[in-house]
Amino acid sequence: MSALLLLLLTAPASAEDDGPGPSTSETALKWLRDSAEYHAIATQTYRQATAALKTNKKGKGPWAAVLDVDETVLDNSVYQLERHTYDLPYESVSWHAWCERRQATPVPGVEDFLTEVRKQGGRVVFLTNRKAVVTEATRDNLADHGLYQDGDLLCTRTDTSDKAPRREQVRTGEGPCSFDEPTRAAVYLGDSWGDFPADGEETGARLDGVGSRYFVLPNPLYGEWQFLRGITRPLP
Ligand SMILES: [Mg+2]
């Protein structure tokens, strides 16, 4: 194995956490940026989510697609690549500077998906753990690619990275992360297990929703899984 391959990147547990510097391999970065397979899997995930709308949108009242942002809607791998090039770790100052640059690009498949959601009368919620200080930059970055439109919700991190309270606000229509009326989440998309309702938070087990209501994007660059010690699986 080359020394180059052994060089490790430092990446965040989530894009907003200053963790102890979990590392990710150059191979993972290259796979996400360059492989046809990553492109195909992301496209496949979004196509499956699109197909699920037909069934999931049925019911009373307005419905929405709820999407995480980083490595779900926006590809931040240029930031990761830059940190790697300079052999520098993730930290929040450079991360926020990256967000302010508004240069993240769409994850494959998301544009067609959002077009279809809107065509079918759905609402769009971007539920991210980016901090409020980069709300405007995030909205601009999304809008530059036609991903954010007037009337969409962009909910940044509150006092907790736990997304459950914000999901509840969308559902109940009460609170800043809401449309001021109850809105059903037809589908959730994310690259982190925390992007999806926990067991019993809505209905049933989280794992049971995968592939029907919950659609997971691959992210080999960073995540809470990096902090797991030993052979520990987060799934049942
Ligand atoms: Mg994410």
Side-chain angles (χ1 to χ4, degrees), residues 66-142:
V66 180
L67 304 96
D68 167 56
V69 172
D70 294 314
E71 275 50 71
T72 297
V73 174
L74 292 178
D75 173 345
N76 300 288
S77 61
V78 169
Y79 169 75
Q80 302 279 353
L81 187 63
E82 289 177 351
R83 302 307 285 173
H84 174 60
T85 300
Y86 294 116
D87 197 20
L88 292 170
Y90 167 90
E91 40 72 38
S92 60
V93 173
S94 64
W95 169 250
H96 287 151
W98 161 254
C99 293
E100 289 292 343
R101 282 163 55 185
R102 299 154 164 83
Q103 291 178 337
T105 52
V107 166
V110 67
E111 291 151 303
D112 287 350
F113 170 74
L114 290 178
T115 298
E116 194 60 33
V117 168
R118 299 182 201 284
K119 200 170 117 187
Q120 296 189 29
R123 295 171 170 177
V124 177
V125 181
F126 298 102
L127 212 169
T128 176
N129 276 337
R130 286 189 178 196
K131 290 181 179 168
V133 69
V134 291
T135 300
E136 190 180 340
T138 302
R139 188 183 289 117
D140 288 350
N141 196 166
L142 291 166

Side-chain angles (χ1 to χ4, degrees), residues 19-226:
S23 58
T24 212
S25 74
E26 185 174 84
T27 302
L29 183 56
K30 182 158 181 57
W31 181 78
L32 186 140
R33 288 180 54 77
D34 299 339
S35 76
E37 290 80 5
Y38 167 74
H39 194 103
I41 291 170
T43 302
Q44 174 180 282
T45 302
Y46 272 111
R47 285 180 180 167
Q48 288 171 339
T50 302
L53 295 177
K54 187 178 177 185
T55 300
N56 296 6
K57 70 182 179 184
K58 290 177 182 169
K60 274 191 169 181
W63 60 276
V66 180
L67 304 96
D68 167 56
V69 172
D70 294 314
E71 275 50 71
T72 297
V73 174
L74 292 178
D75 173 345
N76 300 288
S77 61
V78 169
Y79 169 75
Q80 302 279 353
L81 187 63
E82 289 177 351
R83 302 307 285 173
H84 174 60
T85 300
Y86 294 116
D87 197 20
L88 292 170
Y90 167 90
E91 40 72 38
S92 60
V93 173
S94 64
W95 169 250
H96 287 151
W98 161 254
C99 293
E100 289 292 343
R101 282 163 55 185
R102 299 154 164 83
Q103 291 178 337
T105 52
V107 166
V110 67
E111 291 151 303
D112 287 350
F113 170 74
L114 290 178
T115 298
E116 194 60 33
V117 168
R118 299 182 201 284
K119 200 170 117 187
Q120 296 189 29
R123 295 171 170 177
V124 177
V125 181
F126 298 102
L127 212 169
T128 176
N129 276 337
R130 286 189 178 196
K131 290 181 179 168
V133 69
V134 291
T135 300
E136 190 180 340
T138 302
R139 188 183 289 117
D140 288 350
N141 196 166
L142 291 166
D144 285 347
H145 295 282
L147 302 170
Y148 180 93
Q149 295 185 7
D150 288 345
D152 292 353
L153 265 183
L154 172 59
C155 306
T156 49
R157 186 172 185 160
T158 55
D159 55 344
T160 171
S161 60
D162 183 359
K163 293 185 171 180
R166 283 170 282 168
R167 285 193 287 264
E168 187 180 0
Q169 290 177 22
V170 172
R171 279 198 302 274
T172 61
E174 295 174 5
C177 185
S178 79
F179 294 101
D180 294 327
E181 61 178 332
T183 302
R184 289 178 293 111
V187 291
Y188 287 96
L189 288 114
D191 66 298
S192 170
W193 205 218
D195 295 331
F196 306 96
D199 294 354
E201 183 184 318
E202 290 193 1
T203 53
R206 180 157 38 184
L207 191 58
D208 292 344
V210 171
S212 55
R213 231 178 125 226
Y214 308 156
F215 296 89
V216 188
L217 278 300
N219 177 7
L221 300 180
Y222 61 84
E224 290 184 13
W225 49 268
Q226 287 182 295

